[in-house]
Amino acid sequence: GHDKTVTCAAFSPDGTLVVTASDDKTAKIWSTKSCSPQRSLVEHDLPVESAAFSPDGRFVVTASWDTVAKIWEVESGNCLRSLEGHHLPVMSAGFSPEGTLVVTASVDNTARIWDVETGACLHSLEGHHRTVASAAFSPDGRLVVTGSHDHTARIWEAVSGRCLLSLDEHEDSVTSAAFSADGRLVVTASGDATAKIWEAESGELLQSLEGHEYPVESAAFSSDSKLVVTGSQDNTARIWDVESGEFLRSMEGHSDFVTSVAFSLDGPSAFAIPAPAL
């Protein structure tokens, strides 16, 4: 397994693999059936903060404190491309739905959109005033949502890089932001110990998910957009009903912060990754 803290975990599209990122400067690809590592992705010079699969499951993108994002081939574990342009650590990276673009978020207060084939930076999304901790495409690829330590999330037009909306109701850093699978909603996680659900088109705040005792590190929708799972520094993950905002159940037993949460794509299971090394 990893030698140091696991910072992120994500399922492959078919649910058979999980990729993890770690402070040990590596990412690892695991079989969900055997829970054994299949590949180690080793080329970053500093801790790896984020890792995600491409929509077809053939590639992984990683984001690192070495200021670089890298694209890897899952089958071989080879690094295919380095995305260089940020001048401070990269906190998040993810593919567009078509798999042709990558969006990265950085401590340099920007997010960037990259061409996967060429590695060229197409747009620099500028407007946040502090670290951009999270960036993700909408399901149709038209929009990008970013979350920042300036207490806001922003929604951008991917094709132009233009900022469309600012989501301003959090009272502390926004640590995570993601679209629902149907693209209608956005969920944000924050250091103010809440997660919030927003209407993507208007920016209207629909639900504030309150109950965690400490900062919320991560939040994600289920594949049917009916549930949200949150992970917190209170050592728990919680599942919430999207429509009502009602707290449904808590996943307890972690001995440290829950830094990354996700549902499997077929819906019935969620997992939470605690801070200690796996």
Side-chain angles (χ1 to χ4, degrees):
H2 288 290
D3 297 327
K4 293 185 178 180
T5 297
V6 175
T7 53
C8 179
F11 282 105
S12 63
D14 64 5
T16 63
L17 300 173
V18 166
V19 62
T20 53
S22 173
D23 282 349
D24 66 10
K25 306 179 188 178
T26 74
K28 291 182 185 293
I29 298 170
W30 308 73
S31 164
T32 55
K33 184 173 292 186
S34 66
C35 293
S36 60
Q38 307 294 300
R39 298 280 186 274
S40 287
L41 311 181
V42 184
E43 267 198 31
H44 283 293
D45 297 324
L46 289 172
V48 182
E49 188 70 20
S50 167
F53 284 94
S54 61
D56 62 9
R58 295 173 54 221
F59 305 102
V60 160
V61 63
T62 54
S64 171
W65 282 74
D66 64 11
T67 76
V68 176
K70 292 180 182 289
I71 298 172
W72 312 76
E73 186 179 52
V74 170
E75 186 175 353
S76 66
N78 292 333
C79 180
L80 302 179
R81 193 155 287 110
S82 292
L83 308 179
E84 301 182 16
H86 288 294
H87 61 272
L88 288 172
V90 184
M91 306 301 288
S92 168
F95 286 93
S96 64
E98 306 85 8
T100 57
L101 303 175
V102 160
V103 64
T104 54
S106 173
V107 179
D108 66 13
N109 301 354
T110 73
R112 290 178 180 241
I113 296 174
W114 310 79
D115 184 283
V116 168
E117 186 66 29
T118 66
C121 179
L122 303 179
H123 298 291
S124 181
L125 309 183
E126 300 180 7
H128 284 296
H129 306 300
R130 294 183 64 188
T131 293
V132 183
S134 173
F137 283 97
S138 60
D140 62 7
R142 292 189 310 107
L143 304 175
V144 166
V145 63
T146 54
S148 171
H149 290 183
D150 66 9
H151 302 188
T152 73
R154 290 179 180 236
I155 295 176
W156 312 75
E157 188 177 56
V159 69
S160 68
R162 182 168 62 99
C163 182
L164 302 177
L165 292 169
S166 184
L167 312 179
D168 300 332
E169 297 291 332
H170 281 294
E171 298 176 2
D172 207 326
S173 297
V174 177
T175 52
S176 168
F179 285 95
S180 60
D182 59 16
R184 294 188 308 105
L185 305 174
V186 164
V187 64
T188 52
S190 173
D192 64 12
T194 74
K196 295 183 187 295
I197 298 171
W198 315 75
E199 187 176 66
E201 184 175 352
S202 67
E204 180 186 356
L205 177 62
L206 301 178
Q207 301 289 349
S208 186
L209 310 180
E210 302 177 8
H212 283 293
E213 298 174 11
Y214 292 102
V216 182
E217 291 283 330
S218 179
F221 285 98
S222 60
S223 58
D224 61 7
S225 304
K226 293 182 179 180
L227 302 175
V228 159
V229 59
T230 55
S232 170
Q233 289 185 18
D234 65 12
N235 302 358
T236 72
R238 292 178 178 233
I239 294 177
W240 313 76
D241 180 80
V242 167
E243 185 173 356
S244 67
E246 180 184 358
F247 165 65
L248 300 178
R249 57 188 177 274
S250 181
M251 293 180 284
E252 301 180 3
H254 291 300
S255 59
D256 210 329
F257 301 167
V258 180
T259 58
S260 181
V261 291
F263 283 94
S264 63
L265 296 189
D266 57 5
S269 60
F271 71 71
I273 298 297
L278 290 179

